[in-house]
Amino acid sequence: MNIPLSWLAEYVALPKSEAELTDKLTMVGHMLNKRWQTPGGEVVIDLELRGNRSDLFAIIGVAREVSAIWNTPLKTPSLAKLPEIKSNSDLVIVKSPGLVERFLAFKLKVTVEPSPDWLVKRLSDYGIPSINNVVDITNFVMVETGEPMHAYDTAKLAGKKLILRQAKKGEKFITLLGTDITLDESDLVISDEEIPQGLTMIGGKNSGVSNETTEVILEAAVYNQANVRRTARKLNIFTEAGTRHDKLLDPNQVEFALARALELLTKHANAKVVGEAFDFYPKKRHPKTINLKNEAVLKLTGVDVKPSKQESILKSIGCDVEKLNSELKVVAPTFRTDIEQSADLVEEIIRIYGYEEIPAHSLFGETPAIQTSKIISFENNVRDGLVRLGINEVITSPLVHTDKNAISIINPPDPDFASLRTNLTDSLINYAKRCQGFRVERIALFEIGKTYHHDGKKYQEELKLALALSGKTGSQAWGVKNRPMSIYDLIGTIEALCEILNVEILVNSAGAIINKELGVIGNIFQAGDIFVAELSLEKIADLPKTPIKNYLAPAFPPIIEDMSFGVSKQTEFGQFMKAVTKISQLISRIELVDLFEKNRTIRVTYISAQRTLTEDDIKPIRNEIISLAKNDYSSVVRTVKS
Amino acid sequence: MLNQSEIEKALSEALSKVAKIGDQTSYDSVKSDLIGKNGQVTKIVKTLSQLPPDQKATLGKKINELKKEVEKALTEKEISLAHSEKGLEQDLTLPGHKPVVGHLHPTTIVINEMNEIFLGMGFSVASGPELETDEWNYDRLNLPLDHPARDLQDTLYIKEPDVLLRTHTSSIEAHILDEMKPPYRFVIPGKVYRYENANASNNIMFYQYQGLVMGEGITMAQLKGTLNTFVQKFWGKETKTRFRCKYYPEVEPGVGVDISCTFCRGAGCSVCKNRGWIEMLGAGMVHPNMIKRVGLDPEKISGFAWGMGLDRIVMTRFGISDVRSLYNGDIIYQ
C-alpha cells in the first residue's frame, strides 16, 4: 500500500530518518517495496502488506505499528456522533444474510462541490483522482481507516432504498467506470427496487454522486470475504475497496469509519443526517481472550523476553493485558482479526522486540535416524552411473501438448502444457532432434522423471529412466576413431549401467528389457536415427543384486580360446552366450569378438583359483558349449582356436 | 681455507660448465659433478661448518648464494633441454584424446550441493506425489478453501475442485507431518506447478526446495542457526542473512530470509532493486493448527519449515537468463 509520509505523520511522530522508518517496518513484517517523491514533494513509501492484516490497509493502521515500534502515542482523528440506529428501519433490506456480516447505512443531505486542496493532495499522493467532495471523503476515510464505504445518490434509487441480494443469472450492471458487466447468482449486489446499483467492490454508474446530487445514502459494510474475492476475480474488477473487502475486516470498525466520514462530510459538504440509521449486524464480533504462558515466547523463539516486556509490547499493539501467576491474560482488539492463539501473540512480541535479537543456535540433541528412502538414494546412483558413462542429464517438462489419452489440466495456460506425459521418450526424442539442429555430433541424453496415468481407480505416478543416443561415438577430434552409434551402443550403455548397479537384465529380440524375477522392466526402440530406451526406475531398484565381483588378478594363468559358430536365422546369440556362462564355474568371461554375416566368434576365458588348468579340464566344458549351441540354439561350431 | 675470491671463481666455473651442457646425458653428469654427493659445490658447502666464527657470517652468505645460483642454472637448463628434446618428436601442446564426459543437469547439481550441506546437519531427503488433492496441498497447510493466500498460488487443476498439481513442496511437508513420528529433519527438492503465462522469469513447472524439522525444543533460534549455516556454506562465508517477520499461513511466527546481494555485496544494484538484500526463503515455525491436526501437542512438539525457489539460484550459478532454458531443450552440453 502507498503511504504518503506527511499523511502518516498526522497520527504518529515519525522517526528522524526515513531509512530508520522503512528498515524497521520491513523487519516487523511490512517490507518496503519502493519509495518515490511526488512532483509536489511528498515522499510516498509502498509497503508490501500481509494478507492477514486487514487493519494495516489503513494509514491509521500503519501509524499504530509505528507507535508500537517506537513507543510513541497514537493520535486518532476527531469523529462525529452517528445517528441513532433504528432496528425496524426500511432503508435497507438484506436478502442474502449469509454474504453480509454487517451493513450500516443512513441518509444525508449534502452540498456537492469540488474538494478542498488538502483533500485533493492527500488522495493524489496516495493515487486516487479527485471527483467531488462527497466521493473524495468516502475514499479518504477508506484509506485512513481501512474500511470501504460508498455513497448512493438517493434520487437515482427506485424505492429510495438499498436491497442486498444475489444477482439474477444474466443480470446487467454498469460500474461507475462505465464497464458493462453480466452477473450471476454467485454475485452479491446492492440494488434498489429494480436494478443493481453497486457491487461489493465497486459502485454503479447510475447512482454515483454527481453535481446534481442533494441527498445520499452512505453505507459501510463487511461482507463475506471469499465471496467478494470470487466475484472480483471472476469479473476481473480490482479496486481499492475490493482489496480491503476480500480480507477479514473487523465489523466493529464500521461505526468508527462512518463517524469519521460524517465528521468530514459535515465540515466539507454541509452534511445533515436525515432520519435514523439502519444497522444489520446479527452476530457481533467480540474480542478474543488468550492466555499466554510466560515461557511460550522462549519455547518458540529461543529468546527470553521478560513478562513485563511481553506485557508492554502487547499493550502497545492495542491488547488489554492482565498479569496472572505464570501467564498473561490477553484480550486482543477485534481489529486484529489475525490474532487467534498463543503463537500469534508470540509473533507479535518477537517482531516488535526484534527478529534481530533471536540468536543463531545449531540443532542440538540426538541426530534423528537418516530416513532417506531407498528410491531416492538409488536415483542418485543411477544418475552418477550414467554420468560416468558419458551420458548427459536433461530435464524436460512433465506437461506436454494436449493429449486426449493422458491426464489433462482443466485450466491449461497454454495448449503446449495441457496434459501430463505418459512417457519420457517422446520428450527425449524431441530433445535429441533439437541437439541435431545444433549440430551436436555425439548426442547422449538421459532423464529421470515421472510419467502419469489413471489406472481406473487412482492417479498413478511412475518414476522412469529414459535414454537417447544418436550421432557418433565421439566428437570430431584428431586421431580419435569415431563411428556412428547403433542400437548396440544403447544396449551396451544399459549393460554398463547394470554393471555399475550390480544388477542383471537382458534384452530380448522384441526390444523388451527383461529380468527373470521381475519380468519386463522397460524397452528399447529406434526412432529414425535416434536410439531410445525407457525403463521403470522403481523396478530397476527392486532388481536382485548380483554377487560382488572379485577384481583380484588370478593366481594361475587362464586358458583363452576363440570359438566360431555358424548361426541360423532364429538363433538368439546373446541368450546363448548368457547360457554358456552358466555351464561351468571355470568360465570366468565370455565376449563376442567378431561377427560376420552368419558367423559369430566368442572368446572364452577359463580360470581356476586353485590350479593351472589343462586341456583335460577344458575339453568336457568345450564339448558342452558345442552341444548347447547345436541342440538349443541351432548353431554349428566351425573353429576353436587357443 | 677458503676465501671470497675462490668462491667466486668456483661459481663462474660451475656456471660455464652448466652453460656448455648440450643433452640429457651431459646434464646428468654435470649435475652430479657440481651438486652430487661429492660434487664441487657440495664440497664447498660442507666446509661451512669448519669456518672460524668471524668468517661464518660473510663467507657463509657467499657459499649459500653459490649453491642457490648453481641450482637455479641447472633447473633452467633442465627446462630448456626438456623443451628442445621432446619438442623435436611431438607437440605436447596439442589437445589430448579426451574421454567422453557426462554432465548432470544444472538443477541436479544445485540440489546435490544443497543436500550435501543438509546431510551434514543430520537431514534426510524426502519426495512425494506431484498429483495432489486439495487436502494435502492446501487444507493441511492451514489454507482452508477461500483463504486469501490461495490467490497467490494459481493452481492447475486436474479435476476441480479437489485434484490438482502441487503448487509447492509444502504438500510433502503435510504428508511427513502425518506419517512420521518426530524427531526428524527432512529436505524435499521437487517439481511444482502453477498457472503462469510462461516467460523468461516465470515457468509453469519449476523447482522448490523445502525443509522441515520437528522435535522437542525446536525454536526460531535453531531455524536461524540452520539456515545461516546453509547460506554461508552455499553462497560463501561473507554472505550475510537478514531474518524478518513475514506472513505465510503454514507458519507462526513467520520469517522471511534475505541474503546480502551476491552481485553488489549489499551496496545496492539492479538485481536487488537497490535494497542490498535478495529475498531468498520463506520460513517459520510450523503452525500450531497443523501440529494439532496430526494429533500432536504444540506445547510439547515444535518445528520449523522453509521453502525456496531453486530455479533462480540455478540460473544465477550457470549464467542462464531465461528460466525456460532449463527445461526446454536449450541445454545441449556441447
Side-chain angles (χ1 to χ4, degrees):
Chain A
M1 189 177 93
N2 298 343
I3 296 147
L5 290 187
S6 75
W7 192 353
L8 181 63
E10 280 193 22
Y11 314 102
V12 70
L14 301 186
K16 280 199 194 85
S17 106
E18 185 193 321
E20 191 189 345
L21 174 74
T22 53
D23 283 354
K24 195 67 194 171
L25 284 170
T26 296
M27 288 300 291
V28 302
H30 323 305
M31 194 172 77
L32 176 69
N33 197 22
K34 39 183 196 279
R35 69 84 80 183
W36 64 90
Q37 204 158 6
T38 66
E42 177 74 28
V43 174
V44 184
I45 58 171
D46 171 24
L47 299 181
E48 220 175 87
L49 297 175
R50 305 163 50 138
N52 66 338
R53 287 289 304 269
S54 65
D55 64 306
L56 285 181
F57 288 75
I59 306 283
I60 290 180
V62 176
R64 198 180 286 116
E65 291 280 299
V66 173
S67 134
I69 298 165
W70 280 278
N71 205 15
T72 47
L74 183 72
K75 289 167 269 176
T76 46
S78 51
L79 309 175
K81 197 177 168 297
L82 285 182
E84 205 178 315
I85 290 162
K86 198 177 161 195
S87 53
N88 61 347
S89 159
D90 61 356
L91 190 61
V92 181
I93 302 168
V94 179
K95 286 189 170 169
S96 300
L99 299 179
V100 187
E101 191 169 350
R102 185 167 197 187
F103 196 89
L104 180 55
F106 50 86
K107 253 190 231 171
L108 288 172
K109 288 262 181 238
V110 289
T111 310
V112 177
E113 46 184 37
S115 289
D117 290 348
W118 68 266
L119 181 55
V120 176
K121 175 188 171 344
R122 283 278 180 252
L123 289 176
S124 128
D125 289 345
Y126 178 83
I128 296 178
S130 171
I131 310 291
N132 57 48
N133 55 350
V134 175
V135 173
D136 289 358
I137 286 168
T138 61
N139 284 333
F140 175 87
V141 175
M142 169 181 70
V143 175
E144 186 184 44
T145 66
E147 172 56 49
M149 55 185 60
H150 191 69
Y152 297 85
D153 185 339
T154 321
K156 304 281 174 60
L157 298 175
K160 309 234 176 296
K161 64 174 65 168
L162 296 175
I163 301 167
L164 277 75
R165 61 172 171 83
Q166 278 145 284
K168 295 167 206 143
K169 192 164 175 59
E171 199 168 3
K172 299 273 190 258
F173 172 68
I174 303 168
T175 72
L176 51 81
L177 297 173
T179 315
D180 281 293
I181 278 165
T182 307
L183 304 163
D184 66 38
E185 296 94 330
S186 68
D187 305 313
L188 180 71
V189 296
I190 298 100
S191 89
D192 60 11
E193 287 184 333
E194 287 159 11
I195 56 163
Q197 298 290 351
L199 297 177
T200 53
M201 75 297 294
I202 196 162
K205 194 177 174 69
N206 177 53
S207 54
V209 175
S210 69
N211 289 340
E212 287 82 52
T213 305
T214 57
E215 191 188 272
V216 298
I217 299 180
L218 178 67
E219 56 88 353
V222 172
Y223 302 109
N224 175 305
Q225 51 166 342
N227 182 262
V228 173
R229 196 167 51 252
R230 272 197 296 264
T231 293
R233 286 173 73 85
K234 187 187 64 182
L235 300 175
N236 217 13
I237 304 174
F238 298 101
T239 61
E240 290 285 339
T243 298
R244 290 166 175 84
H245 270 313
D246 75 9
K247 308 209 161 46
L248 190 60
L249 285 168
D250 174 17
N252 298 328
Q253 289 297 301
V254 165
E255 279 150 287
F256 172 72
L258 281 177
R260 173 65 175 153
L262 183 56
E263 160 87 10
L264 292 174
L265 286 166
T266 309
K267 230 183 203 172
H268 302 288
N270 203 20
K272 300 226 166 33
V273 174
V274 181
E276 291 93 359
F278 167 89
D279 190 16
F280 174 84
Y281 190 19
K283 220 176 127 192
K284 188 168 167 61
R285 227 183 285 164
H286 296 287
K288 282 191 199 83
T289 304
I290 301 160
N291 286 8
L292 178 67
K293 293 197 172 126
N294 287 164
E295 76 270 14
V297 176
L298 178 64
K299 268 178 87 173
L300 213 48
T301 68
V303 185
D304 193 4
V305 182
K306 299 266 168 302
S308 57
K309 183 70 186 167
Q310 298 186 20
E311 186 186 350
S312 69
I313 290 175
L314 290 172
K315 281 182 173 161
S316 76
I317 60 158
C319 295
D320 284 331
V321 186
E322 191 186 326
K323 249 191 193 148
L324 300 179
N325 228 346
S326 59
E327 57 189 24
L328 300 176
K329 188 177 164 192
V330 183
V331 181
T334 53
F335 62 77
R336 287 302 302 268
T337 52
D338 59 310
I339 295 181
E340 287 178 336
Q341 51 189 306
S342 167
D344 300 323
L345 295 177
V346 171
E347 183 181 81
E348 288 307 306
I349 291 165
I350 195 65
R351 76 184 179 92
I352 302 293
Y353 190 77
Y355 270 40
E356 57 272 32
E357 300 301 323
I358 301 172
H361 290 163
S362 50
L363 289 164
F364 52 73
E366 202 183 327
T367 305
I370 293 300
Q371 307 182 70
T372 302
S373 68
K374 183 182 149 197
I375 191 74
I376 293 175
S377 312
F378 187 76
E379 197 182 317
N380 283 331
N381 292 344
V382 172
R383 269 199 191 92
D384 290 344
L386 287 166
V387 169
R388 277 158 71 184
L389 298 171
I391 319 293
N392 294 305
E393 188 191 16
V394 299
I395 298 176
T396 64
S397 167
L399 287 167
V400 294
H401 191 76
T402 315
D403 176 358
K404 277 192 194 123
N405 301 314
I407 300 171
S408 292
I409 309 288
I410 296 171
N411 56 334
D414 183 327
D416 280 340
F417 301 95
S419 296
L420 282 161
R421 64 187 173 196
T422 55
N423 62 64
L424 298 183
T425 42
D426 287 355
S427 307
L428 223 49
I429 290 166
N430 284 333
Y431 211 116
K433 283 186 182 156
R434 209 171 146 85
C435 291
Q436 287 172 341
F438 288 112
R439 305 191 60 178
V440 180
E441 248 178 302
R442 172 183 175 274
I443 298 165
L445 311 171
F446 80 91
E447 177 168 15
I448 293 175
K450 283 175 170 175
T451 62
Y452 311 80
H453 69 279
H454 193 273
D455 67 3
K457 282 187 202 145
K458 273 169 75 181
Y459 292 98
Q460 298 287 359
E461 299 173 26
E462 229 189 313
L463 195 60
K464 294 277 184 73
L465 160 68
L467 290 153
L469 297 182
S470 186
K472 294 187 173 166
T473 52
S475 311
Q476 192 60 53
W478 72 282
V480 176
K481 267 195 193 152
N482 206 0
R483 58 167 177 80
M485 284 195 271
S486 74
I487 194 92
Y488 295 105
D489 288 285
L490 180 65
I491 295 169
T493 302
I494 296 169
E495 286 168 347
L497 177 66
C498 288
E499 188 181 319
I500 290 170
L501 299 172
N502 273 326
V503 297
E504 213 166 46
I505 55 105
L506 56 93
V507 178
N508 75 8
S509 33
I513 301 168
I514 307 170
N515 174 270
K516 273 197 305 224
E517 276 88 2
L518 294 179
V520 178
I521 57 173
N523 66 308
I524 60 170
F525 62 97
Q526 188 167 344
D529 55 356
I530 303 165
F531 308 104
V532 274
E534 182 162 304
L535 303 95
S536 158
L537 202 75
E538 278 145 14
K539 283 187 182 163
I540 310 175
D542 285 343
L543 289 177
K545 296 281 179 240
T546 50
I548 305 284
K549 258 199 186 153
N550 181 345
Y551 294 113
L552 284 180
F556 300 96
I559 293 180
I560 299 169
E561 60 186 22
D562 288 359
M563 304 175 80
S564 293
F565 295 89
V567 301
S568 65
K569 219 177 178 181
Q570 67 271 30
T571 305
E572 287 181 333
F573 203 72
Q575 307 272 29
F576 165 65
M577 287 174 64
K578 285 215 163 61
V580 169
T581 58
K582 306 271 162 18
I583 289 177
S584 165
Q585 293 266 336
L586 297 179
I587 299 175
S588 87
R589 209 161 66 217
I590 174 162
E591 294 150 292
L592 180 65
V593 291
D594 196 23
L595 179 150
F596 179 71
E597 288 174 353
K598 292 212 162 144
N599 294 304
R600 309 275 184 271
T601 305
I602 57 172
R603 179 164 297 160
V604 187
T605 306
Y606 302 92
I607 295 179
S608 163
Q610 280 80 37
R611 60 199 162 81
T612 303
L613 296 173
T614 64
E615 170 64 16
D616 289 346
D617 297 312
I618 304 307
K619 202 174 172 190
I621 305 173
R622 185 191 300 130
N623 288 338
E624 216 175 314
I625 296 175
I626 291 169
S627 59
L628 178 74
K630 192 175 161 197
N631 300 337
D632 294 2
Y633 295 92
S634 43
S635 305
V636 188
V637 70
R638 296 251 161 88
T639 58
V640 179
K641 272 189 239 160
S642 288
Chain B
M1 268 298 141
L2 272 174
N3 62 36
Q4 194 155 327
S5 70
E6 277 175 308
I7 294 172
E8 274 161 18
K9 198 178 144 210
L11 175 61
S12 70
E13 277 175 18
L15 290 183
S16 81
K17 273 188 190 167
V18 173
K20 282 181 196 144
I21 294 171
D23 55 28
Q24 191 66 37
T25 324
S26 63
Y27 171 83
D28 291 341
S29 82
V30 169
K31 187 179 175 185
S32 161
D33 286 353
L34 292 174
I35 58 168
K37 227 175 182 179
N38 293 305
Q40 290 152 11
V41 175
T42 313
K43 275 182 192 159
I44 296 176
V45 173
K46 275 181 185 163
T47 62
L48 198 61
S49 60
Q50 295 146 24
L51 287 176
D54 60 320
Q55 292 185 18
K56 242 184 192 167
T58 48
L59 281 185
K61 201 178 159 210
K62 280 280 162 197
I63 291 171
N64 277 330
E65 276 171 16
L66 163 72
K67 189 183 171 219
K68 269 191 199 153
E69 288 275 325
V70 172
E71 281 172 354
K72 191 178 152 214
L74 280 166
T75 310
E76 277 168 9
K77 182 53 95 177
E78 190 180 20
I79 292 169
S80 79
L81 277 179
H83 270 295
S84 58
E85 283 203 349
K86 288 174 188 159
L88 294 176
E89 289 158 32
Q90 46 200 172
D91 177 1
L92 296 184
T93 68
L94 290 177
H97 300 320
K98 198 170 64 178
V100 173
V101 179
H103 301 272
L104 288 174
H105 189 275
T107 304
T108 304
I109 292 172
V110 167
I111 289 174
N112 285 352
E113 210 172 297
M114 290 182 177
N115 286 352
E116 186 87 1
I117 295 170
F118 284 107
L119 289 180
M121 292 193 268
F123 281 73
S124 300
V125 185
S127 63
E130 293 172 21
L131 286 163
E132 269 300 357
T133 56
D134 188 87
E135 177 183 354
W136 297 101
N137 195 70
Y138 287 123
D139 208 35
R140 292 250 180 182
L141 294 161
N142 206 29
L143 274 153
L145 199 66
D146 285 326
H147 192 287
R150 287 197 178 196
D151 288 0
L152 305 174
Q153 301 190 357
D154 287 308
T155 314
L156 291 170
Y157 283 99
I158 302 295
K159 212 177 88 190
E160 242 171 335
D162 59 336
V163 184
L164 47 86
L165 282 163
R166 69 179 181 204
T167 58
H168 45 203
T169 39
S170 309
S171 59
I172 309 305
E173 177 186 333
H175 283 291
I176 293 173
L177 280 170
D178 187 53
E179 287 160 24
M180 307 293 232
K181 204 170 157 279
Y184 50 70
R185 303 169 191 172
F186 278 108
V187 287
I188 311 140
K191 295 185 174 94
V192 301
Y193 303 84
R194 303 253 174 107
Y195 183 102
E196 294 276 2
N197 292 309
N199 56 42
S201 23
N202 295 299
N203 211 0
I204 298 167
M205 184 276 285
F206 54 100
Y207 274 78
Q208 277 189 343
Y209 196 89
Q210 187 89 12
L212 175 66
V213 173
M214 290 292 290
E216 281 180 34
I218 303 291
T219 66
M220 290 175 91
Q222 291 174 38
L223 180 161
K224 211 173 188 178
T226 304
L227 293 180
N228 267 346
T229 304
F230 162 67
V231 165
Q232 292 187 348
K233 284 201 173 161
F234 189 82
W235 281 282
K237 268 244 167 299
E238 67 288 359
T239 314
K240 291 190 190 70
T241 52
R242 179 172 78 171
F243 292 76
R244 58 187 162 80
C245 185
K246 187 149 194 227
Y247 168 64
Y248 299 100
E250 62 265 49
V251 288
E252 189 75 25
V255 185
V257 185
D258 306 330
I259 66 164
S260 53
C261 180
T262 47
F263 293 90
C264 64
R265 300 247 162 258
C269 66
S270 64
V271 176
C272 59
K273 293 190 207 157
N274 277 316
R275 290 170 180 157
W277 297 99
I278 297 175
E279 292 183 78
M280 196 48 77
L281 280 138
M285 301 304 290
V286 176
H287 200 284
N289 291 354
M290 289 161 59
I291 299 177
K292 281 182 230 159
R293 172 93 186 237
V294 295
L296 295 172
D297 180 1
E299 299 262 324
K300 291 204 182 95
I301 299 288
S302 56
F304 63 83
W306 76 87
M308 71 180 149
L310 271 184
D311 304 71
R312 192 138 292 282
I313 297 168
V314 175
M315 288 160 70
T316 308
R317 166 76 65 89
F318 289 89
I320 293 167
S321 57
D322 186 328
V323 64
R324 291 167 295 189
S325 292
L326 287 171
Y327 313 116
N328 70 355
D330 278 355
I331 298 177
I332 57 168
Y333 303 104
Q334 211 174 22

